[in-house]
Amino acid sequence: MSTILDTSDIDTYLGKPMQPARMIDPFANNDIRRWVQAMHYPNRLHYDAMYGMQSRFGQLIAPQSFPVTMDDGHGSAPSCIGLIPNSHMLFGGDEWWFYGPRIVAGDRVWNERIPFDYTVKETKFGGPTCFQRGDNFYYNQHGDLIAKQRSTSIRYSQSAGQANTPTDNQNDPVWGDEELEALETRKFAWIQMLHDLGHSARYWDTVNVGDVLPERVFGPHSIVSFTTEWRSYSFTQWGSMHRRTDLNMAELGFTGPMAGPEQDPTEEAINPENTDGAYIGPSRGHLFPRWARFIGMPRGYGYGASMGAWITDYLAGWAGEWGMVRHSACNYRSPALTGDITIQTATVTDVFVDADGRHMVQIEAKMQNQTGAILATAKAEVELPKRPA
């Protein structure tokens, strides 16, 4: 008998702005450094002070993936609002639009959140499953729109997910010393591309349809690496945010053993360990295999917002200091699991000038693990400078 998924409460929220997230302190350079360290993104523009001073920006700048670090819910809040009893959620994808302003130390970023829409489909994993979308508009202290994020949450019956937890994929793969050494060589090839490009421009008229971007490899992932990612989100720091008062985990369907006062401002003043998501509450499924299996994952698994950052950083790193990712639409098919590696590849599918006169490159990208299983796919448009006449 199919599980019934009651999504009627979501209708009361669609199109209505939610409580925004509010940072207490402006970003500092070390917040930016911690982010790229956790996202495996060794681009010197974002951590090397002298290199940043020599760049076109004259200082360190945050990567384009950075806005999501300040949102308490890493962009998922407007896409999982509304009660679905006894449900759990996974990040299902992100669509991003970038408008130009860059984040630097001293900026304070806030977002406007508006639930967008949802649909229910039958899935093998969770039975009736709600695919819910919501918009985040990220502004700086001057009121400049930095980026828009349309996030997708996948909400499903916790019991159905638990019943379908794989039983043959619960142990991390074992990597030998020679294999790990070979992985380091593959990793550095992409880093060398960053160094070779340096402060130079990648010109639009040197790119052709069919060009293949350099492979990017990182991992093996671990509970430690996922924890490092989680701790790099500014909203996980105790006292970093004016917490939402409209967040109730039970009302969102998180009840029973997975419930907890995650992001609760009252509890943060009493015992903040209970509120930051690493120890108690729905997010601990990422870091504790027992709770991962409780919601249908075979073992510890990575964060959807981090996957989106990996894609944006991959494209931005290739574009270089003078380029910019303008739009990307990412679909997440499976999370990264502990013990696995992530392999990113991409191909140029179009080169064109858009209606605004910008010189654009269209790219199709994918992420997969060492077995070839697809973690995510993306289509993106990247702006590059035209070579001077």
Side-chain angles (χ1 to χ4, degrees):
M1 182 176 179
S2 181
T3 302
I4 296 175
L5 203 67
D6 181 3
T7 60
S8 58
D9 189 51
I10 299 175
D11 294 319
T12 64
Y13 295 94
L14 295 181
K16 300 176 183 177
M18 298 168 53
Q19 265 192 11
R22 286 289 188 269
M23 299 178 63
I24 290 176
D25 300 310
F27 286 121
N29 279 335
N30 277 351
D31 296 315
I32 298 170
R33 291 186 177 104
R34 181 171 55 235
W35 176 254
V36 295
Q37 182 179 16
M39 295 299 129
H40 323 278
Y41 186 36
N43 188 329
R44 295 174 67 190
L45 276 174
H46 313 308
Y47 72 90
D48 185 326
M50 185 59 68
Y51 188 87
M53 290 174 61
Q54 295 168 344
S55 75
R56 60 177 295 211
F57 304 103
Q59 65 181 111
L60 288 184
I61 61 166
Q64 288 190 244
S65 63
F66 192 68
V68 74
T69 184
M70 60 73 56
D71 179 58
D72 56 345
H74 46 211
S76 68
S79 67
C80 64
I81 190 68
L83 170 64
I84 301 180
N86 301 310
S87 64
H88 196 78
M89 66 82 69
L90 296 172
F91 232 130
D94 277 319
E95 188 167 8
W96 283 92
W97 294 263
F98 296 97
Y99 297 102
R102 305 302 293 257
I103 297 174
V104 299
D107 284 348
R108 182 181 280 107
V109 177
W110 64 278
N111 70 336
E112 181 181 38
R113 300 186 277 208
I114 304 176
F116 186 66
D117 66 5
Y118 72 95
T119 185
V120 177
K121 299 178 182 179
E122 190 76 21
T123 65
K124 293 181 180 179
F125 172 72
T129 301
C130 178
F131 294 83
Q132 185 174 350
R133 297 192 297 177
D135 290 341
N136 297 272
F137 299 84
Y138 295 94
Y139 297 89
N140 63 20
Q141 69 275 15
H142 306 297
D144 301 323
L145 179 59
I146 298 168
K148 173 185 174 182
Q149 174 195 21
R150 177 164 291 168
S151 60
T152 299
S153 289
I154 302 172
R155 303 180 69 184
Y156 58 94
S157 163
Q158 176 274 318
S159 58
Q162 185 178 13
N164 289 313
T165 302
T167 58
D168 59 349
N169 193 26
Q170 296 187 355
N171 296 317
D172 288 3
V174 177
W175 297 84
D177 290 342
E178 291 184 359
E179 292 175 306
L180 292 173
E181 185 175 347
L183 281 180
E184 291 304 313
T185 300
R186 291 174 69 184
K187 289 180 189 179
F188 192 74
W190 190 77
I191 297 171
Q192 187 64 58
M193 182 272 295
L194 295 178
H195 294 325
D196 290 343
L197 186 58
H199 296 301
S200 301
R202 185 180 299 283
Y203 290 115
W204 172 80
D205 40 350
T206 65
V207 177
N208 300 294
V209 173
D211 286 354
V212 176
L213 274 63
E215 173 193 69
R216 181 190 183 199
V217 178
F218 49 92
H221 305 289
S222 66
I223 296 298
V224 173
S225 68
F226 292 154
T227 304
T228 302
E229 290 171 27
W230 182 246
R231 288 293 180 225
S232 73
Y233 287 89
S234 295
F235 75 87
T236 67
Q237 300 168 33
W238 303 346
S240 63
M241 307 291 297
H242 296 288
R243 302 291 180 194
R244 293 168 54 195
T245 59
D246 66 343
L247 181 65
N248 186 311
M249 288 296 175
E251 289 181 357
L252 292 179
F254 298 119
T255 57
M258 283 293 280
E262 193 168 315
Q263 307 300 321
D264 183 279
T266 302
E267 180 65 15
E268 184 176 47
I270 300 170
N271 184 1
E273 288 193 358
N274 290 340
T275 68
D276 69 12
Y279 308 111
I280 295 175
S283 295
R284 62 181 162 172
H286 293 281
L287 305 180
F288 296 92
R290 171 193 173 189
W291 297 113
R293 289 189 282 271
F294 185 77
I295 54 93
M297 294 291 107
R299 55 188 194 268
Y301 63 101
Y303 296 92
S306 295
M307 291 176 69
W310 299 343
I311 291 171
T312 301
D313 293 343
Y314 177 52
L315 298 172
W318 173 81
E321 183 177 313
W322 297 85
M324 175 173 247
V325 179
R326 286 294 185 176
H327 171 255
S328 68
C330 314
N331 294 308
Y332 308 147
R333 299 187 183 182
S334 177
L337 300 175
T338 56
D340 288 349
I341 65 171
T342 293
I343 305 164
Q344 294 186 271
T345 55
T347 302
V348 174
T349 57
D350 198 8
V351 179
F352 63 98
V353 179
D354 71 6
D356 296 319
R358 299 178 301 187
H359 295 83
M360 307 295 289
V361 176
Q362 187 176 69
I363 297 172
E364 292 189 1
K366 69 178 179 180
M367 294 198 298
Q368 57 189 335
N369 66 14
Q370 70 280 358
T371 69
I374 301 297
L375 307 182
T377 59
K379 292 184 178 181
E381 290 79 50
V382 177
E383 182 181 5
L384 294 178
K386 189 174 185 291
R387 184 164 40 189

